[in-house]
Amino acid sequence: MKVACQVRKRVSFQWWFRMAVQLSLIFLGACSESISFRKIISSLQFSKQGRDENFLRRVSAPPPPPVKLNTENPHQVVIGNGIVSLNLSKPEGYLIGICTGIHNLLEPKNKEDDRGYFDVVWNEPGKPGMFERIHGTSFSVIVANDNIVEVSFLRTCTASMKGSSVPINIDQRYILRRCDSGFYSYVVFNRPPGLPAVEVDQIRIVFKLDEARFHYMAISDTRQRNMPSMTDRITGQRLAYPEAVLLTHPYEGQFRGEVDDKYQYSIENRDNSVHGWIAEDDLPPVGFWMITPSNEFRNAGPVKQDLTSHVGPTTLSMFVSTHYGGKEVNMTFGEGETYKKVFGPVFVYLNTAPNKAQFRSLWSDAVEQLSNEVRRWPYDFIGSKDFLPPNQRGTVAGQLQVQDGGGRAQPANNAYVGLALPGDAGSWQTESKGYQFWTQTDRDGHFVIKNIVPGDYNLYAWVPGFIGDYRYTAKITIKPGGNINLDSLVYNPPRNGPTLWEIGIPDRSAAEFYVPDPIPRLMNKLYPNDCRDKFRQYGLWERYTELYPNHDLVYTVGVSDYHKDWFFAQVTRSTTNKGYVPTTWQIQFQLQHIILSGNYTLQLALASATNSRLKVRFNEPKAKLPHFSTGLIGDDNAIARHGIHGLYRLYTIVVGSNHLVKGKNIIYLTQSKVVGPFEGVMYDYIRLESPPTKAT
C-alpha cells in the first residue's frame, strides 16, 4: 500500500537501471512537470498479492537508498530518499515541490511561495489583523547523514520589521528519513526579551495540491467524496459570506446547485488527526495525507473545532486559530514578554493503491499510518533541543469521581481530564500559549496522562452528563521522567437544590436539540442523510423564521420534547423588509407550591454565543430591567460556520421565590442584540432547582 521502502525480491539489471535513473533525477533536484512518475513509482511498489512463494526464494535484496541533500543551487534545497523528494526555496523555506518519482504533487500553476508554506495572522494591540506568509532569512543544516536529513529556515526579527512582521523568531524545520513515505514538519516559536506586544490569531501550515489531479477528499470514515474544483467556486454565487458559495456553473454537473464552504469540513481537535486528498485517476492512485499524532501543541483543548482540508485542493495543519472561539482564544503577548514553543511535528504521508478500483483503500492505509505515528510519539529523532523526547517527559495518573448534590460519589465515566497552564476552572478552553495534554477516563474514572512536557500546570476536567468545570486545587509541577499519582479526586458539580425540570443534555453541545432539514437549494451532498452531521448544512438559521414566522418558540415542560421542539440555536428572525428582530423564547412550567424560605436556581449552560446579549425574565416579560443579563458575549461564530458548539459558558442564576407563583410560570429568554442573521446563542442545558434541602 505505501509508497515505501519496499523492494522487489528479484534482483535484476532492469531494477538497478530504473533505480539509478530515478535517483539521479531526484538528487539533481529534477521535478519536471512533463515527465510522469507513474512508471517509476510502480517499479518501487509491490502489493500484498505479490508476496508469494517466489519471494521466499530471494537470497538478497539491494539496500534501501540513503537520504541525500543537495544544496548546490544557491536558491533551492533538494532532499530525497528514493521515495520522496522535497524541493525548498532557500533561504525562504517555501515548499516548491513534493515529488514522488518525477511529478510534483503541488499546484504547478501557483507561484513558488503559494504551494507549501507556513503563515501567521497577527496584529499589534488595537490594530487590524495582518496575514503574513513566513519566509526564512537564513538556511542551515541541522543533521545530514544516510538515515536522516533535517534542515532549518529561520526568520529572525529585526528592528526594521516592526509593524510589518510578527515579532517572533520563527524556525521552520523539515525532516526526511530513510525509507519514510513522507516527511515531517514543525515550527519553533521564540520570543527573546525586548520584542513589542503582539496578538496572534492563527498559526498553520498550508499545502495547495495539483488541481488537475487531486479530486477526492477524505476527512473521516464517513466524510469523503469527489469534490468540486476551485474554478467551480470562482464561477459560483457568493452567499452570506465569502467562504460559502453556491455552485452554479460547475464543470461536472453533479455539483450544480450545491453549497461549498470550508467550514463544513471542520473537526474537533480530538478527532482532527488525519485528512487529505487522493489523485484517483493517477496510475497508480496517489494519496496525500496530513497526520497529526498529538494535540499537545494545538490551542483551546480537545473539543475546539478547526479546519482540515477543503476545495483548492488544499490541506491544512492548524496549530492555533480563533475559529469557533473568537478573540478569546488568541495568543496575547505583552511588551517584552518571552516565549518558546514547538508546534508539531506533523507528518505528511504519501501512499499509492494498486489500481483505481482500490483508491479508497488509501484512506484506511492513512488511518493505519496514523496509528503508527501515535505509537512513536513523542519522536526521538527531532533535531530541536526544545522538542523533548519520551525520557524527558512526565506522567500523571489518578481517579476522578463525581458527587452531584448529596448523592454518593460515583466514577466519572468517560470524563475529559487534562493539564494546561495554571488558571481558573475551565480556562483551558481559551488557553492557547502553552501545551495541553488530555485523556479520557475509563468506566471506573481512572486516567493516565502520558508524555507531559515539564512545567507547571493545573489539572482540569469536565464530565459529560454534569454541568461545570473541575480544577484540582494544587499546582502540578512536572519534572523530566517524573510520575505523579493523584489517587482519588472528587468533582462536585454546581448544584443548589433538587432538580424540578431540565432541558437538554449537559454535554457542551446543542446536538440533541432540533436541527432542521437543510434548504433543498442550498445543500452539500456530502451530508445527504446523516443525522449526526445535519448541522453542517448551510443556511439552517433561515429555517427558524420559516418555523416561527410570527411568534417565537414556546416550550412547555412536561409536554414538549426538546429533540423536536427546541430549535438548536436562538437566532434573530428575519422580517419582510429584509431586516432582523430580536427573539424571545418562553419556557412554561407548573409549580404545585412555592417554597418561600429559600431561593430557586436556574442553571443555564450555553454551548455557543456570537455577539449576543441574553436577558432572562421570570413571569414579567415587559419588566424594564431583566432579572439577569449575560451582557454582550461571544465571538465564536459557530452558527454561521456550521458548528454545533463554540465556547462553553455556565450561568448560575439565583431566583427569589417572590418571582415565581403557584401554578403556571414562564421564563422569558430574550436575545436582544441584532445586526444580521448570525447573532445568537446555542443552549447546552437548562435546569431549574428548588431551594436547597438537607440532602443537597
Side-chain angles (χ1 to χ4, degrees), residues 655-676:
V655 186
S657 58
N658 58 309
H659 293 301
L660 301 174
V661 298
K662 181 180 178 180
K664 182 179 179 180
N665 291 264
I666 302 177
I667 297 176
Y668 298 91
L669 304 172
T670 301
Q671 198 299 97
S672 60
K673 180 70 174 180
V674 177
V675 176

Side-chain angles (χ1 to χ4, degrees), residues 451-465:
N451 298 317
I452 307 166
V453 172
D456 293 334
Y457 300 90
N458 276 143
L459 183 138
Y460 303 93
W462 64 277
V463 187

Side-chain angles (χ1 to χ4, degrees), residues 439-652:
T439 189
Q440 284 186 267
T441 59
D442 64 17
R443 59 185 298 176
D444 297 318
H446 292 106
F447 63 89
V448 179
I449 305 174
K450 301 178 180 179
N451 298 317
I452 307 166
V453 172
D456 293 334
Y457 300 90
N458 276 143
L459 183 138
Y460 303 93
W462 64 277
V463 187
F466 299 89
I467 61 174
D469 279 278
Y470 172 80
R471 187 192 68 154
Y472 183 60
T473 54
K475 181 179 68 176
I476 294 177
T477 299
I478 303 296
K479 297 181 179 180
N483 295 299
I484 298 175
N485 194 326
L486 299 175
D487 296 323
S488 181
L489 311 175
V490 178
Y491 171 48
N492 300 110
R495 177 179 288 279
N496 290 334
T499 299
L500 292 174
W501 51 260
E502 58 188 350
I503 300 173
I505 301 170
D507 60 358
R508 301 175 181 243
S509 165
E512 70 269 29
F513 299 125
Y514 178 68
V515 179
D517 291 334
I519 300 171
R521 58 183 174 81
L522 297 173
M523 287 185 62
N524 184 320
K525 294 180 182 177
L526 180 60
Y527 311 110
N529 301 304
D530 191 339
C531 293
R532 295 171 302 174
D533 286 317
K534 188 189 292 187
F535 66 88
R536 301 185 190 279
Q537 295 283 5
Y538 175 86
L540 297 182
W541 54 87
E542 296 181 12
R543 287 294 203 194
Y544 180 78
T545 301
E546 296 176 12
L547 291 170
Y548 303 96
N550 302 312
H551 60 82
D552 287 318
L553 182 150
V554 176
Y555 185 92
T556 303
V557 173
V559 177
S560 301
D561 179 352
Y562 63 76
H563 295 99
K564 298 183 295 183
D565 302 318
W566 189 274
F567 200 74
F568 78 101
Q570 184 173 356
V571 294
T572 57
R573 188 169 68 246
S574 62
T575 61
T576 54
N577 61 356
K578 297 185 179 181
Y580 297 89
V581 296
T583 55
T584 297
W585 290 10
Q586 297 182 32
I587 303 174
Q588 300 184 0
F589 61 97
Q590 298 285 329
L591 289 179
Q592 299 302 317
H593 61 276
I594 300 296
I595 302 175
L596 300 176
S597 59
N599 292 322
Y600 291 74
T601 303
L602 184 70
Q603 303 285 6
L604 180 65
L606 299 181
S608 167
T610 300
N611 195 27
S612 298
R613 184 178 287 108
L614 185 63
K615 299 177 180 180
V616 183
R617 294 177 171 88
F618 298 89
N619 291 322
E620 299 179 64
K622 296 183 179 181
K624 185 175 181 180
L625 294 177
H627 296 106
F628 173 82
S629 175
T630 61
L632 189 62
I633 57 171
D635 188 28
D636 59 41
N637 215 16
I639 295 171
R641 291 177 172 174
H642 328 292
I644 201 64
H645 68 83
L647 293 183
Y648 176 78
R649 291 174 169 84
L650 175 64
Y651 300 96
T652 297

Side-chain angles (χ1 to χ4, degrees), residues 1-2 4-8 15 43-46 51 83:
M1 180 68 68
K2 302 176 184 178
C5 190
Q6 299 170 324
V7 294
R8 292 187 182 278
W15 190 96
S43 72
L44 290 174
Q45 181 73 28
F46 69 93
R51 299 169 183 170
I83 306 163

Side-chain angles (χ1 to χ4, degrees), residues 40 50 62 132 162 175 282 318 350 378 387 585 691:
I40 301 288
E132 181 178 358
K162 185 175 181 180
I175 299 173
D282 277 17
M318 303 296 300
L350 310 173
F387 181 85
W585 290 10

